[in-house]
Amino acid sequence: MKTICLYFEIHQIIHLKRYRFFDIGTDHYYYDDYENERSITDIAERSYMPALNTLHDMINENGKYFKVAFSLSGTGIEQLEMHAPQVLEKLQKMNETGCVEFLAEPYSHGLSSLANEETFALDVKKQAAKIEELFGKKPTVARNSSLIYSDDIGAQIAAMGFKGMLTEGAKHVLGWKSPHYVYHCNQAPNLKLLLRDVELSDDISLRFNNSEWDGYPLFADAYIDRIARLPEEEQIINIFMELSALGIAQPLSSNILDFIHALPGCAKEKGITFSTPTEICKACKSVSQLDVPDTLSWVDEERDVSCWLGNAMQHEAFNKLYSVADRLRIANDPRINQDWDYLQASNNFRFMTTKPSNVGLDRGIYSGPFDAFTNYMNILGDFINRVNALYPLDIDNDELEGLLTTIKNQGDEIEMKDKEITRLKAKLEKLEASKTKAKTEKKPAPKKAAPKKAE
């Protein structure tokens, strides 16, 4: 029986402000608060809330038949918590139905998987902990930023204990193979891979409202018919996209939500079900390993990482950023860590691309790639100066780790002694109270004065 795995990414970038060379050393705040609030409020109103309301209605109308999966970046969650908490509240209500799965991904929505294994592991674990805090479920399936994947990344994800991972069903990787099967990582056979059907996903997220497209207009029954006509043995249809496709990339006026709403009814008529990624990983065996020696993603025609690391500017920014990764992980300073999360976000490197793309790129405040590079490097210069001021370069990583461990141990020892002092003070107060009570009880009652004799 064919089953559809429907998954949506929820991520919101942190907009950087205009930061000039002369700001280095004097201004340590890098963000455009107005634009951050404006953009997340706008996307929540035009996309997230209408789309989630529709998906929630689909669950309520179809019971356990319809299921859907989401992943939320940590930086996206922070923006929603500050400016659009109604989105998280809606997701929590949907979670209560038991028909929603939440996946793990890097907290920063960054490129740490391409730079530093330990940083990548911490990034994913931090987001997974946040998901568990919000929704009460520990993710068992992961996806990397923009579905970035390679054999090595799969092995890292498997080492973290995940049972499955989502990635792109790219033609240059699959060759003659179909994305409609479950595969496994060639370095970690226990990690199952679910591959996005590029055509079926992009028909909705990229082409739905394009009147010049041969498939326009796209109707739910015709879409499901295409799935039903796939060879009988091709059972897994993975449709992955950004949630913002419903309302932003494809405006609500295109009736995109009516199309989505009609999918379960049409699928039920054809005997097609819906499943979450974990359900598929548990129920289906892998047909073979997937060999991905070079990194792939779901971005651009090349389906690689060239949109983030395709020119010299991007490589310089990337290498400089991750040059302090080990020191930041060792130091674990909360304020520095927050800036670290925001500066890692992949969009910072995407804005520097010089590649042509079929998908429109809004560079925001930047006039072009060099402008984006210059602004980011100014901020990065100040950030690294702050790191070096806290933890000087003449202290190597091993020495820094030793010093911070000593400080932490001393702090723990002081905390234990404080607790012991508090305990002893409480015990002393209790003893003194007992002594006072005992003295009061033993003290003889005062003698009454004898009555005077009458004269």
Side-chain angles (χ1 to χ4, degrees):
M1 181 182 292
K2 287 182 169 56
T3 191
I4 296 172
C5 180
L6 186 62
Y7 154 81
F8 296 98
E9 170 200 285
I10 299 177
H11 166 63
Q12 179 64 22
I13 67 174
I14 305 295
H15 294 274
L16 302 178
K17 69 180 182 182
R18 179 63 68 182
Y19 193 93
R20 305 187 186 283
F21 177 80
F22 299 103
D23 295 324
I24 298 174
T26 61
D27 182 2
H28 305 316
Y29 191 77
Y30 312 133
Y31 315 108
D32 186 339
D33 290 335
Y34 172 79
E35 183 58 24
N36 284 323
E37 181 175 0
R38 186 207 64 77
S39 60
I40 191 64
T41 302
D42 178 65
I43 199 171
E45 180 180 340
R46 293 169 52 204
S47 172
Y48 290 169
M49 286 309 297
L52 292 175
N53 285 332
T54 297
L55 293 168
H56 198 185
D57 289 343
M58 292 160 69
I59 292 173
N60 291 333
E61 292 166 9
N62 293 279
K64 298 294 182 181
Y65 169 76
F66 177 72
K67 296 171 184 178
V68 63
F70 299 96
S71 74
L72 296 85
S73 69
T75 53
I77 291 172
E78 290 184 18
Q79 291 293 291
L80 292 172
E81 287 176 329
M82 284 190 289
H83 305 303
Q86 69 274 19
V87 174
L88 294 175
E89 291 169 5
K90 169 56 72 172
L91 286 167
Q92 287 170 331
K93 288 180 181 178
M94 293 175 68
N95 181 50
E96 293 171 1
T97 65
C99 296
V100 176
E101 179 176 1
F102 294 94
L103 310 185
E105 71 161 69
Y107 190 95
S108 65
H109 198 79
L111 306 174
S112 56
S113 61
L114 306 176
N116 190 296
E117 287 188 18
E118 293 184 14
T119 298
F120 177 55
L122 287 175
D123 212 6
V124 173
K125 290 174 182 177
K126 181 178 178 180
Q127 186 268 358
K130 186 67 175 179
I131 291 295
E132 188 171 10
E133 175 190 326
L134 284 173
F135 304 108
K137 296 177 181 178
K138 186 177 181 179
T140 59
V141 174
R143 56 90 67 179
N144 199 1
S145 311
S146 302
L147 297 191
I148 292 173
Y149 178 82
S150 69
D151 296 332
D152 292 338
I153 292 171
Q156 293 175 52
I157 288 292
M160 295 179 212
F162 293 102
K163 304 304 180 186
M165 187 173 185
L166 275 53
T167 189
E168 181 77 338
K171 290 181 180 179
H172 71 275
V173 170
L174 283 170
W176 57 269
K177 296 178 182 178
S178 166
H180 304 139
Y181 295 94
V182 174
Y183 296 88
H184 66 263
C185 173
N186 69 357
Q187 294 186 20
N190 292 332
L191 183 75
K192 293 181 177 177
L193 302 175
L194 305 185
L195 309 185
R196 187 176 86 115
D197 185 304
V198 176
E199 184 176 352
L200 287 171
S201 300
D202 289 353
D203 282 353
I204 298 175
S205 62
L206 299 182
R207 294 184 281 268
F208 185 83
N209 193 44
N210 183 3
S211 58
E212 298 180 359
W213 171 45
D214 292 340
Y216 180 87
L218 181 61
F219 295 103
D221 54 353
Y223 186 81
I224 294 297
D225 282 344
R226 284 168 56 195
I227 294 174
R229 289 195 301 269
L230 291 170
E232 184 178 351
E233 63 273 15
E234 297 187 13
Q235 298 289 314
I236 312 299
I237 294 85
N238 299 310
I239 301 171
F240 306 159
M241 68 191 78
E242 298 178 12
L243 186 62
S244 60
L246 310 182
I248 303 297
Q250 309 305 320
L252 298 180
S253 59
S254 68
N255 297 319
I256 184 68
L257 294 183
D258 292 333
F259 169 85
I260 294 293
H261 188 271
L263 289 178
C266 297
K268 192 177 292 186
E269 291 179 1
K270 297 292 183 179
I272 300 172
T273 64
F274 287 82
S275 301
T276 63
T278 293
E279 288 176 337
I280 293 174
C281 289
K282 287 181 177 179
C284 301
K285 293 182 178 180
S286 168
V287 295
S288 72
Q289 70 180 29
L290 191 70
D291 298 316
V292 189
D294 299 318
T295 312
L296 63 88
S297 76
W298 71 359
V299 178
D300 293 343
E301 289 296 321
E302 295 85 355
R303 310 291 175 184
D304 58 14
V305 297
S306 58
C307 69
W308 303 289
L309 297 173
N311 62 46
M313 293 184 295
Q314 292 169 315
H315 276 283
E316 182 177 347
F318 179 82
N319 292 334
K320 187 170 183 179
L321 174 68
Y322 284 101
S323 68
V324 295
D326 291 331
R327 298 176 70 77
L328 285 170
R329 188 182 65 257
I330 294 167
N332 196 26
D333 181 89
R335 184 66 187 89
I336 292 288
N337 284 348
Q338 185 179 50
D339 290 334
W340 172 244
D341 286 336
Y342 297 166
L343 293 178
Q344 282 190 85
S346 61
N347 60 278
N348 293 315
F349 300 93
R350 174 77 161 155
F351 293 151
M352 303 175 199
T353 186
T354 52
K355 282 180 58 182
S357 175
N358 293 332
V359 180
L361 175 61
D362 181 5
R363 298 184 200 264
I365 63 172
Y366 306 125
S367 59
F370 184 73
D371 187 27
F373 170 74
T374 302
N375 201 69
Y376 183 78
M377 292 302 282
N378 286 340
I379 290 173
L380 192 55
D382 182 79
F383 175 74
I384 292 179
N385 286 345
R386 289 166 58 205
V387 174
N388 293 338
L390 284 172
Y391 313 107
L393 284 173
D394 56 0
I395 303 177
D396 63 30
N397 288 347
D398 291 338
E399 186 179 356
L400 175 61
E401 187 168 16
L403 288 171
L404 291 174
T405 300
T406 300
I407 293 170
K408 182 180 183 302
N409 290 341
Q410 289 176 344
D412 292 343
E413 187 176 346
I414 291 170
E415 185 179 353
M416 288 177 62
K417 288 182 178 179
D418 287 342
K419 288 180 180 179
E420 181 66 12
I421 291 170
T422 302
R423 186 185 69 81
L424 291 173
K425 281 182 177 179
K427 187 175 181 180
L428 181 60
E429 289 174 359
K430 188 176 180 181
L431 286 172
E432 290 178 349
S434 297
K435 287 180 181 179
T436 302
K437 183 178 180 182
K439 287 180 180 179
T440 303
E441 290 175 350
K442 289 180 181 179
K443 189 175 181 180
K447 294 180 179 180
K448 293 182 180 180
K452 292 183 180 180
K453 293 182 180 179
E455 294 181 359

